[in-house]
Amino acid sequence: MEEIAKIIKDISGGNIKPIYFLMGEEPYYIDKLTEFIESNILSEDERAFNQQVLYGRDVSIEDIISAAKRYPMMADRQVIIVREAQELSRNIDKLESYVKNLQPTTVLVIAYKYKSLDKRKSMTKLIEKEGLLFESKKLYENQIGTWISRVLQGKGYHIEPKATAMLVEFLGTDLSRINNELEKLQIILPKGTTFTPTHIEENIGFSKDFNVFEFRKAIGERNQLQAYRIADHFAQNKKEYPMVLTTGMVFSFFSSLLQYHGLKDKSPGNVAKVLKVNPYFLKDFDLALKNFPMKKVSAIVSTLRDIDVKSKGVGANQLHESDLLKEMLAKIFN
């Protein structure tokens, strides 16, 4: 986020590059930077004649170069934005001829999502030298909580750890999806609010009591009654809690637990880093570590593979999901 803040500060201060190549696995920051440039380099009057948005699926590299070489009309510069530029990945190297001779009155923005240029290539090095090359990397799951807190603090809000964990558990590491849900809450709730699990449940639709990480927690605690209750809720709400996702989550939990057993350094910081989990969940892993010895965890991982195959209709004679969930829990607890 520091790099993003610096880019925005430079642009706002008039330090504008002739080319911005925005690339990487995480589209959120690419979109945000593109939107900022689109709204802030030219005045509203200048944009009518000097700002053009192209889409990778509709244009060629030659079209982009041709547009970039034009001169601005009644303005100091023009802005050419190429969205979804990853559609041009097969021919992106052809852009090198333009990078070698950049038009000083053009700001060319290439939004190259989900992919990255080879940093060893001459074009990449040229972009770094003459313009700005930004790589937007995916955050690990254990980094998302910090990201959520920082985003909300910057807007005058706070969030409880469990509410953060709920968002990550249900939305994964997709920053755009998470940000969309956070913006919904900001519309509904006044500044200064601390988002709670109840806010998440009431306004976004995730149950704070019957969800995958409460299921995982109940299993780790060996709380059989609660685990079976949640399993029954899942079976009655198959669309919201498909068996394949539930099995995958439990498998991931025990695979991480097996890895935890094998760690020499079991300090919280190292465990969160190695297992790539939200620190909020470490207490669940610590308790499960005591309740499930390494040999038992290995057997559970093997069992879960078998359950996963059955959940996909192989050798299960179309067993009902509730029966599969009960079978899974019976084998975990016995």
Side-chain angles (χ1 to χ4, degrees), residues 81-281:
I81 296 170
V82 186
R83 294 185 177 274
E84 309 299 338
Q86 67 275 9
E87 299 285 344
L88 297 162
S89 59
R90 290 184 180 180
N91 299 306
I92 197 68
D93 288 344
K94 290 183 178 181
L95 191 63
E96 184 170 358
S97 63
Y98 176 73
V99 180
K100 287 179 178 178
N101 188 25
L102 291 166
Q103 180 80 344
T105 55
T106 293
V107 178
L108 177 60
V109 182
I110 307 292
Y112 195 75
K113 297 191 287 190
Y114 312 111
K115 297 176 179 287
S116 292
L117 295 179
D118 186 337
K119 292 187 177 179
R120 297 168 298 180
K121 290 191 173 183
S122 58
M123 184 178 78
T124 313
K125 293 176 181 177
L126 270 171
I127 294 170
E128 285 184 299
K129 181 182 177 183
E130 303 295 338
L132 185 136
L133 182 74
F134 170 74
E135 184 170 12
S136 185
K137 295 180 180 178
K138 274 279 186 188
L139 296 184
Y140 291 121
E141 185 176 319
N142 63 322
Q143 297 174 308
I144 302 295
T146 301
W147 180 84
I148 290 173
S149 295
R150 290 178 67 179
V151 167
L152 288 177
Q153 283 174 10
K155 296 180 179 180
Y157 293 87
H158 301 279
I159 187 167
E160 291 183 4
K162 185 174 180 180
T164 298
M166 288 173 71
L167 287 171
V168 175
E169 192 70 31
F170 283 95
L171 301 175
T173 59
D174 187 328
L175 300 188
S176 295
R177 287 184 67 198
I178 294 171
N179 187 65
N180 287 341
E181 298 301 336
L182 293 177
E183 286 182 347
K184 290 179 189 176
L185 292 174
Q186 291 165 50
I187 292 170
I188 298 165
L189 302 169
K191 276 193 176 183
T193 300
T194 297
F195 297 159
T196 67
T198 300
H199 288 137
I200 302 298
E201 181 177 33
E202 291 178 349
N203 298 294
I204 298 178
F206 308 145
S207 169
K208 67 181 187 300
D209 298 315
F210 295 95
N211 57 61
V212 288
F213 63 82
E214 289 297 332
F215 186 51
R216 182 175 68 185
K217 181 181 178 183
I219 291 172
E221 293 174 346
R222 296 190 73 92
N223 185 342
Q224 297 189 41
L225 180 60
Q226 181 65 0
Y228 278 102
R229 279 177 178 163
I230 296 173
D232 184 61
H233 178 78
F234 286 177
Q236 293 179 42
N237 297 274
K238 292 187 288 185
K239 287 186 178 180
E240 292 179 51
Y241 306 97
M243 182 69 188
V244 64
L245 293 183
T246 302
T247 306
M249 180 278 298
V250 178
F251 179 82
S252 176
F253 178 64
F254 279 102
S255 296
S256 295
L257 193 61
L258 189 62
Q259 192 176 8
Y260 192 0
H261 268 295
L263 288 178
K264 291 182 179 179
D265 179 2
K266 288 184 169 62
S267 62
N270 186 60
V271 173
K273 180 180 178 182
V274 173
L275 301 188
K276 297 184 176 66
V277 298
N278 189 311
Y280 177 78
F281 289 125

Side-chain angles (χ1 to χ4, degrees), residues 1-11 20-23 29-30 33 36 119 128 131-137 139 150:
M1 289 182 74
E2 289 79 7
E3 187 179 359
I4 299 289
K6 184 180 184 309
I7 294 170
I8 289 173
K9 183 180 178 182
D10 284 347
I11 292 172
Y20 290 85
F21 201 103
L22 314 175
M23 64 183 190
Y29 285 120
I30 295 173
L33 280 174
F36 180 82
K119 292 187 177 179
E128 285 184 299
L132 185 136
L133 182 74
F134 170 74
E135 184 170 12
S136 185
K137 295 180 180 178
L139 296 184
R150 290 178 67 179

